[in-house]
Amino acid sequence: MDKKQLTPGKTYLCKRKTIIDGIEREAERYMTCAEITRDGAWFKRCFEEPIFLDNTKIKEDLYDGN
C-alpha cells in the first residue's frame, strides 16, 4: 500500500512474518492508523503499545482491510 493512501483513524490489515519456535509463520492483524509522519506512520491496536511502520514496511505489509 502507498503511504499517500493512509487516512488517520482508518483500520488497515497488516500482514507480517514472524518466527515462532524456529518456524517462520505469517500472521495478519488489523491496526488503526494514528498518525502519519515523514518516515512512516504510527498505528494503534487494542491494549498494545503504538506500533511504528516505516515507509518500506507500509508498502510491503499493509493492505486496505475494508
Side-chain angles (χ1 to χ4, degrees):
M1 168 171 253
D2 191 322
K3 184 176 89 168
K4 294 176 185 175
Q5 296 173 323
L6 292 178
T7 305
K10 187 171 179 185
T11 301
Y12 297 94
L13 183 62
C14 181
K15 294 184 180 182
R16 63 188 177 104
K17 291 184 180 179
T18 188
I19 297 176
I20 300 173
D21 294 332
I23 301 170
E24 185 177 74
R25 301 174 190 265
E26 188 171 306
E28 298 177 345
R29 63 181 173 175
Y30 284 98
M31 300 189 307
T32 302
C33 181
E35 179 184 355
I36 300 169
T37 67
R38 182 172 41 98
D39 299 329
W42 285 97
F43 294 86
K44 61 183 179 177
R45 186 170 151 78
C46 300
F47 308 110
E48 291 184 14
E49 293 292 322
I51 300 163
F52 181 78
L53 295 179
D54 63 19
N55 293 333
T56 304
K57 283 293 194 184
I58 290 171
K59 192 170 229 176
E60 295 173 356
D61 299 342
L62 211 63
Y63 301 89
D64 188 358
N66 298 325

